[in-house]
Amino acid sequence: MSDSEDDKQATDYQKQRRFISSASRRDLTLLCLNELFVGSEPLRLMKKQKPLYLRYEIDGLVHDRAYLSPASWRAKILFDVAEGKDFRVLEMDQPGRYADMFPKELLRRLLWHSRPKTNFPPVARFFDPRGKAEMLLTRSRLCDHAVDALHNLGGTPRFEPLWVSDIIALRPMARIEMVRDESFIAKAPISLHVEAAAMTGRIVKEPELPELPLNGKTTRLPVPPMPSYVFRLLDHLRKGSGLHLEPTDLTVYGDYSF
């Protein structure tokens, strides 16, 4: 291989590293800025029913832990990822539940949809068989630790990034057992689902979309006020890892083409 080819490969590698670093910074910032509400209360502040069991691997070492605080687990991932550690989740909650909800094929599809400025149909649907909670997943973030979802856990539809651990923790911590809809197939882009949710105040099933006067002008769904602790967390991340995070006016919509 010639010197020029070596230089080109090195340049391409550096570009890829910068892209990955930029994407990770964006994901980290978005996840800090967004808060999962169950009803009118953040999951992290709810009176917990049971802890979330986790088995994970960091740089080749396997750990077993039970977390009663979603904030503690989020902080663990945030700081380890920010420090460049190889962090993999092996189990969450009950044995096999993580793999049932997020099988490898689904993770591959979510990763494929994580390209910037796209408008793909939702990849998966989760729902509570005993209640009204549901969510449509569009893409993954932060090495499969998070996903973007249109959901109604807060009572009204929201479109935001969610920690995978928070989704699974809904069962032990809030008695909301989300399951994957194995028959789900979507053809309409996520923008139409978001537009329909803004118009109706609910998550609309795809067969109902043609009945609505949708015009392709997606209205951004409201988000709750950002809690004050977020600024402290972002500052701690910056100082602890030296990471340059994105501005706090970042929104999930910036990664889509609508």
Side-chain angles (χ1 to χ4, degrees), residues 119 191-192 195 199 213-219 257-258:
N119 187 19
S191 60
L192 291 185
E195 183 183 354
M199 183 178 294
L214 304 176
N215 58 18
K217 296 180 180 179
T218 306
T219 301
S257 62
F258 58 87

Side-chain angles (χ1 to χ4, degrees), residues 71-89:
S72 297
W73 170 247
R74 295 174 200 162
K76 174 68 177 169
I77 300 176
L78 282 170
F79 283 100
D80 284 350
V81 171
E83 292 172 8
K85 294 181 180 179
D86 182 15
F87 194 112
R88 292 195 309 123
V89 172

Side-chain angles (χ1 to χ4, degrees), residues 57-108:
E57 181 181 312
I58 303 177
D59 291 342
L61 295 178
V62 176
H63 304 263
D64 290 274
R65 297 286 189 274
Y67 285 84
L68 196 56
S69 167
S72 297
W73 170 247
R74 295 174 200 162
K76 174 68 177 169
I77 300 176
L78 282 170
F79 283 100
D80 284 350
V81 171
E83 292 172 8
K85 294 181 180 179
D86 182 15
F87 194 112
R88 292 195 309 123
V89 172
L90 305 176
E91 286 278 10
M92 286 189 184
D93 193 20
Q94 299 167 323
R97 185 160 184 248
Y98 174 61
D100 286 343
M101 292 189 69
F102 291 91
K104 290 182 179 179
E105 176 58 28
L106 174 56
L107 290 174
R108 281 194 290 267

Side-chain angles (χ1 to χ4, degrees), residues 206-225:
E206 187 154 309
E208 300 176 51
L209 293 178
E211 302 172 8
L212 298 175
L214 304 176
N215 58 18
K217 296 180 180 179
T218 306
T219 301
R220 295 189 176 189
L221 296 168
V223 295

Side-chain angles (χ1 to χ4, degrees), residues 14-105:
Q14 290 299 328
K15 286 181 179 178
Q16 184 182 27
R17 285 192 64 188
R18 284 197 296 271
F19 172 76
I20 293 172
S21 176
S22 175
S24 295
R25 288 199 305 269
R26 184 177 182 84
D27 291 348
L28 284 165
T29 306
L30 276 171
L31 287 162
C32 288
L33 295 176
N34 286 270
E35 181 86 79
L36 174 59
F37 277 71
V38 180
S40 60
E41 192 172 6
L43 177 64
R44 65 183 173 86
L45 296 181
M46 292 180 65
K47 183 178 180 181
K48 311 303 186 299
Q49 303 298 322
K50 293 181 180 179
L52 174 66
Y53 163 74
L54 295 136
R55 170 173 287 179
Y56 53 93
E57 181 181 312
I58 303 177
D59 291 342
L61 295 178
V62 176
H63 304 263
D64 290 274
R65 297 286 189 274
Y67 285 84
L68 196 56
S69 167
S72 297
W73 170 247
R74 295 174 200 162
K76 174 68 177 169
I77 300 176
L78 282 170
F79 283 100
D80 284 350
V81 171
E83 292 172 8
K85 294 181 180 179
D86 182 15
F87 194 112
R88 292 195 309 123
V89 172
L90 305 176
E91 286 278 10
M92 286 189 184
D93 193 20
Q94 299 167 323
R97 185 160 184 248
Y98 174 61
D100 286 343
M101 292 189 69
F102 291 91
K104 290 182 179 179
E105 176 58 28

Side-chain angles (χ1 to χ4, degrees), residues 4-257:
S4 61
E5 288 174 324
D6 283 339
D7 291 342
K8 183 179 184 302
Q9 279 200 348
T11 301
D12 290 343
Y13 176 67
Q14 290 299 328
K15 286 181 179 178
Q16 184 182 27
R17 285 192 64 188
R18 284 197 296 271
F19 172 76
I20 293 172
S21 176
S22 175
S24 295
R25 288 199 305 269
R26 184 177 182 84
D27 291 348
L28 284 165
T29 306
L30 276 171
L31 287 162
C32 288
L33 295 176
N34 286 270
E35 181 86 79
L36 174 59
F37 277 71
V38 180
S40 60
E41 192 172 6
L43 177 64
R44 65 183 173 86
L45 296 181
M46 292 180 65
K47 183 178 180 181
K48 311 303 186 299
Q49 303 298 322
K50 293 181 180 179
L52 174 66
Y53 163 74
L54 295 136
R55 170 173 287 179
Y56 53 93
E57 181 181 312
I58 303 177
D59 291 342
L61 295 178
V62 176
H63 304 263
D64 290 274
R65 297 286 189 274
Y67 285 84
L68 196 56
S69 167
S72 297
W73 170 247
R74 295 174 200 162
K76 174 68 177 169
I77 300 176
L78 282 170
F79 283 100
D80 284 350
V81 171
E83 292 172 8
K85 294 181 180 179
D86 182 15
F87 194 112
R88 292 195 309 123
V89 172
L90 305 176
E91 286 278 10
M92 286 189 184
D93 193 20
Q94 299 167 323
R97 185 160 184 248
Y98 174 61
D100 286 343
M101 292 189 69
F102 291 91
K104 290 182 179 179
E105 176 58 28
L106 174 56
L107 290 174
R108 281 194 290 267
R109 292 181 64 199
L110 288 166
L111 178 61
W112 173 254
H113 283 206
S114 64
R115 291 174 289 169
K117 301 301 180 183
T118 56
N119 187 19
F120 291 114
V123 176
R125 174 179 179 261
F126 291 170
F127 69 100
D128 176 11
R130 299 179 299 175
K132 297 180 179 180
E134 64 177 307
M135 57 179 63
L136 303 179
L137 278 55
T138 62
R139 54 160 287 174
S140 61
R141 290 187 183 273
L142 202 64
C143 305
D144 298 334
H145 293 303
V147 294
D148 286 357
L150 172 64
H151 69 91
N152 62 357
L153 287 162
T156 57
R158 289 176 184 154
F159 184 47
E160 61 185 348
L162 300 177
W163 290 100
V164 167
S165 56
D166 282 1
I167 296 172
I168 295 181
L170 289 168
R171 188 201 69 82
M173 293 187 175
R175 294 183 178 176
I176 299 174
E177 186 168 356
M178 305 296 283
V179 299
R180 181 168 52 88
D181 183 352
E182 297 187 12
S183 65
F184 178 75
I185 298 176
K187 296 182 179 179
I190 187 60
S191 60
L192 291 185
H193 290 273
V194 173
E195 183 183 354
M199 183 178 294
T200 63
R202 61 185 177 88
I203 297 179
V204 178
K205 301 292 189 293
E206 187 154 309
E208 300 176 51
L209 293 178
E211 302 172 8
L212 298 175
L214 304 176
N215 58 18
K217 296 180 180 179
T218 306
T219 301
R220 295 189 176 189
L221 296 168
V223 295
M226 189 165 50
S228 58
Y229 88 93
V230 167
F231 296 100
R232 296 194 299 271
L233 177 60
L234 290 171
D235 188 56
H236 197 42
L237 263 176
R238 291 188 185 99
K239 292 178 179 177
S241 64
L243 197 65
H244 175 67
L245 297 174
E246 300 295 318
T248 55
D249 60 353
L250 201 64
T251 72
V252 69
Y253 295 93
D255 289 324
Y256 294 83
S257 62

